Amino acid sequence: MSLHDEIKEQQKKLKGQGFKAHWDYFWEYYKIHTFVAIAAIILLTILIKDITNNKPYALYAVLLNSNVPDTQQTFESDFTEYAQIDTNSYTCFVDTSSSYRTDAINEMTIATSEKIMANISAKELDVMAADTDMFRYYAYQDVYMDLRDAFDQAFLDKYSDKICYVDRKLIDYISSDEYQSFMLNGEYDKNNKYAVMAAEIYNTGIYPDIPVSEMEDPVPVGLYIEDSNAIKENNAYYGQKCIVGVIINTGRLDTAKQFVEFLLQ
């Protein structure tokens, strides 16, 4: 059987089996390729930064799944002007080319995910926007800052109709020992709504859009920006809702807040 035929046969077997089955298949057959791709991307990123400039970032932002990879310079120049960044001393990097979807797991999407998490761990990433599915995916991994820790009440009141909330109780459950145990033995408390949600997430890879009224501990972590002038003028997230949030451990909070405000115009 040819490699192409083998892949087609495996895809038939996996059809309808959910996110976990696809993930396990991908990891079994492509993990070496993934590590190579991740290393190549990290090395390329370092080389590009070293070659193009040695100036520190004033801002590092990602517009994940924006579908407009050729607009990076436009976003960077427009924000640089808006925030009056001293380009002789600093540079702005707005990544509009990164793409990651849980329903299309391959070498490059895994490499993108690893790059994002590596930059968060290194405190390099300041802001990340995404379509609603991917924003919730990262929000429930607790990567976004509580907006109440970044902005004052007047700001939150002004944009109250644009705020995206997540349920802290679900975040806490996903990070709990009980959830880790479920991943090992497949057993969970069916009377615990968060255990039920987490099991569904584990099987599908999809994070739920929980109504705020049904959250036990709602936390504001993002702002809807599909009506943003910058988003519309660049055709980013065309036909989709999108959300932006500040990364929880940003080292450039003031500039991160300016970028969020820039996207809210």
Side-chain angles (χ1 to χ4, degrees):
M1 181 184 292
S2 69
L3 178 60
H4 176 71
D5 290 338
E6 182 179 347
I7 291 173
K8 288 182 66 177
E9 185 64 26
Q10 288 295 334
Q11 288 175 335
K12 288 180 182 178
K13 293 179 180 178
L14 291 169
K15 186 176 181 180
Q17 292 191 36
F19 173 78
K20 184 178 182 298
H22 286 79
W23 170 263
D24 290 343
Y25 169 75
F26 170 81
W27 194 244
E28 176 68 23
Y29 286 93
Y30 295 106
K31 58 186 174 184
I32 300 301
H33 301 77
T34 298
F35 288 133
V36 172
I38 292 168
I41 286 175
I42 291 173
L43 179 59
L44 182 61
T45 301
I46 293 171
L47 287 174
I48 289 173
K49 185 178 179 183
D50 288 344
I51 291 170
T52 56
N53 64 80
N54 291 313
K55 293 178 287 188
Y57 287 133
L59 175 84
Y60 180 4
V62 173
L63 304 186
L64 187 64
N65 296 339
S66 66
N67 301 314
V68 285
D70 57 342
T71 61
Q72 175 179 325
Q73 291 186 346
T74 302
F75 276 102
E76 290 172 352
S77 61
D78 287 352
F79 175 67
T80 296
E81 181 180 354
Y82 171 84
Q84 298 184 330
I85 303 296
D86 178 6
T87 55
N88 292 317
S89 302
Y90 298 96
T91 186
C92 291
F93 180 32
V94 181
D95 176 4
T96 62
S97 62
S98 289
S99 177
Y100 178 54
R101 300 184 186 280
T102 57
D103 60 354
I105 297 173
N106 56 40
E107 296 168 38
M108 294 309 296
T109 55
I110 294 298
T112 295
S113 178
E114 292 291 341
K115 180 179 71 172
I116 289 171
M117 296 310 293
N119 280 307
I120 292 174
S121 296
K123 298 183 179 181
E124 282 289 344
L125 187 57
D126 303 303
V127 177
M128 186 162 65
D131 56 280
T132 55
D133 286 343
M134 289 312 303
F135 186 89
R136 286 195 293 270
Y137 173 85
Y138 279 106
Y140 279 108
Q141 293 184 53
D142 205 16
V143 306
Y144 289 110
M145 180 179 291
D146 185 329
L147 294 179
R148 294 170 295 191
D149 295 333
F151 298 97
D152 60 27
Q153 191 59 48
F155 176 93
L156 297 177
D157 290 342
K158 180 179 180 180
Y159 295 106
S160 60
D161 60 331
K162 296 183 180 295
I163 294 177
C164 170
Y165 292 84
V166 293
D167 195 337
R168 167 58 61 181
K169 291 289 188 179
L170 180 56
I171 293 175
D172 290 345
Y173 182 84
I174 290 172
S175 64
S176 70
D177 291 340
E178 185 177 343
Y179 181 66
Q180 298 302 312
S181 177
F182 155 73
M183 289 195 294
L184 290 175
N185 59 39
E187 298 178 358
Y188 62 94
D189 181 1
K190 294 180 174 59
N191 294 316
N192 181 338
K193 71 175 184 179
Y194 293 108
V196 173
M197 285 183 196
E200 183 68 13
I201 291 167
Y202 182 74
N203 289 322
T204 66
I206 299 172
Y207 286 73
D209 182 10
I210 309 170
V212 177
S213 60
E214 296 178 12
M215 295 182 183
E216 291 188 17
D217 187 5
V219 179
V221 293
L223 292 143
Y224 287 91
I225 53 168
E226 60 270 13
D227 293 331
S228 156
N229 290 328
I231 294 296
K232 290 191 293 187
E233 288 170 3
N234 288 285
N235 292 317
Y237 301 104
Y238 185 75
Q240 301 180 81
K241 287 189 174 182
C242 50
I243 311 171
V244 66
V246 177
I247 299 302
I248 193 167
N249 63 348
T250 174
R252 296 174 285 260
L253 180 58
D254 288 342
T255 317
K257 290 165 60 177
Q258 283 183 299
F259 189 68
V260 170
E261 291 164 354
F262 164 74
L263 290 179
L264 285 168
Q265 292 186 106

